[in-house]
Amino acid sequence: MRILLLGGTTEARRLAGLAAGDHTVITSLAGRTTDPLRPAGELRIGGFGGVDGLAGYLRDADIDVVVDATHPFAATMSGHAVLACAAVGVPLLVVRRPGWTAGPGDAWHRVASLDAAAALLPRLGRRVFLTTGRQGIAAFAGLDECRFLARSVEPPTGVTPRNLEVLLDRGPFTVDGERKLLTRHRADVLVTKDSGGPAAKLVAARELGVPVLMVDRPPAPAAPAVPTADDAVIWLRTRAR
């Protein structure tokens, strides 16, 4: 079976490793990171040219099934996958790890967008640990009263806040490391997206009493979904029969 895996996440890399021995797996990456972690199987980097381009690729590459294991906030790509698969008649599965849920001791403030986060942020704190990814930093560019420590895999481009320090790093991160980072930079608010997965920064924020400004996910794609790569392998086995 020929699988197009829309990747870029930990789940996508795990799924590629699990499935590549039994199937032809082509992982597609958007190309926003210059040095991505390479998955097992074949690799394709770059966009498709919208819904029509993706549909054409599915036909030309003789794809049997598409697995969307992109980031939960990659709404445009996920939407294109739904429409292209419907147009061509190719089955689509979405792999989405569960989002985060606040627990005892958490001080979370949920908002619907990065712009809403920027509007609320000055009321919560002025020394900000920003973990929205480099493409989300521009939303906070007008907040001159805040000091930002932004962590991303690569440097941000475009407009940025005036008072910005960038920490280039790639996870996984530990609770002890996140606690030390928050303490060293005297962060009084954490801004992040509800990406799900390991949550060391959220545990550290809870322990230190640092409030969290949480950006909610966009609506999930209209397609069958599973939470893990292992569940996706089971689903693929049913398609291969």
Side-chain angles (χ1 to χ4, degrees), residues 44-144:
R44 181 191 183 280
I45 296 179
F48 292 94
V51 174
D52 291 342
L54 177 54
Y57 177 85
L58 298 180
R59 294 190 192 97
D60 295 342
D62 198 23
I63 298 299
D64 296 302
V65 63
V66 176
V67 179
D68 174 7
T70 56
H71 193 278
F73 283 79
T76 298
M77 185 68 251
S78 293
H80 287 178
V82 170
L83 296 175
C85 287
V88 178
V90 171
L92 171 66
L93 177 70
V94 176
V95 180
R96 284 291 184 276
R97 58 190 179 230
W100 291 315
T101 302
D106 286 322
W108 289 12
H109 304 264
R110 286 191 172 272
V111 292
S113 66
L114 287 169
D115 288 340
L120 179 59
L121 180 56
R123 287 183 270 167
L124 298 179
R126 299 298 174 94
R127 298 188 66 88
V128 186
F129 183 30
L130 186 61
T131 64
T132 58
R134 64 172 179 160
Q135 292 184 309
I137 295 175
F140 303 88
L143 300 180
D144 293 342

Side-chain angles (χ1 to χ4, degrees), residues 4-239:
L4 176 63
L5 176 55
L6 305 177
T9 60
T10 301
E11 289 77 15
R13 290 190 295 275
R14 174 167 173 76
L15 178 54
L18 291 171
D22 299 318
H23 309 284
T24 298
V25 179
I26 306 167
T27 297
S28 174
L29 301 179
R32 296 193 179 105
T33 302
T34 57
D35 186 24
L37 297 175
R38 187 179 180 92
E42 300 178 26
L43 181 62
R44 181 191 183 280
I45 296 179
F48 292 94
V51 174
D52 291 342
L54 177 54
Y57 177 85
L58 298 180
R59 294 190 192 97
D60 295 342
D62 198 23
I63 298 299
D64 296 302
V65 63
V66 176
V67 179
D68 174 7
T70 56
H71 193 278
F73 283 79
T76 298
M77 185 68 251
S78 293
H80 287 178
V82 170
L83 296 175
C85 287
V88 178
V90 171
L92 171 66
L93 177 70
V94 176
V95 180
R96 284 291 184 276
R97 58 190 179 230
W100 291 315
T101 302
D106 286 322
W108 289 12
H109 304 264
R110 286 191 172 272
V111 292
S113 66
L114 287 169
D115 288 340
L120 179 59
L121 180 56
R123 287 183 270 167
L124 298 179
R126 299 298 174 94
R127 298 188 66 88
V128 186
F129 183 30
L130 186 61
T131 64
T132 58
R134 64 172 179 160
Q135 292 184 309
I137 295 175
F140 303 88
L143 300 180
D144 293 342
E145 67 271 39
C146 295
R147 299 188 66 86
F148 292 89
L149 172 67
R151 183 168 64 198
S152 60
V153 175
E154 295 190 352
T157 57
V159 295
T160 59
R162 178 179 299 175
N163 301 307
L164 172 68
E165 178 182 350
V166 177
L167 173 62
L168 299 181
D169 204 355
R170 192 200 301 262
F173 304 103
T174 66
V175 174
D176 183 59
E178 299 291 69
R179 188 189 305 113
K180 290 177 179 176
L181 185 65
L182 288 166
T183 301
R184 183 166 64 251
H185 290 271
R186 295 184 290 124
D188 57 12
V189 61
L190 165 65
V191 182
T192 193
K193 294 178 178 179
D194 187 6
S195 302
K201 60 189 172 185
L202 299 178
V203 175
R206 179 194 310 136
E207 292 178 355
L208 295 172
V210 174
V212 175
L213 189 49
M214 182 74 68
V215 180
D216 285 332
R217 296 178 175 190
V226 294
T228 70
D230 297 81
D231 293 320
V233 169
I234 296 172
W235 185 89
L236 289 170
R237 287 173 184 158
T238 67
R239 306 300 307 186

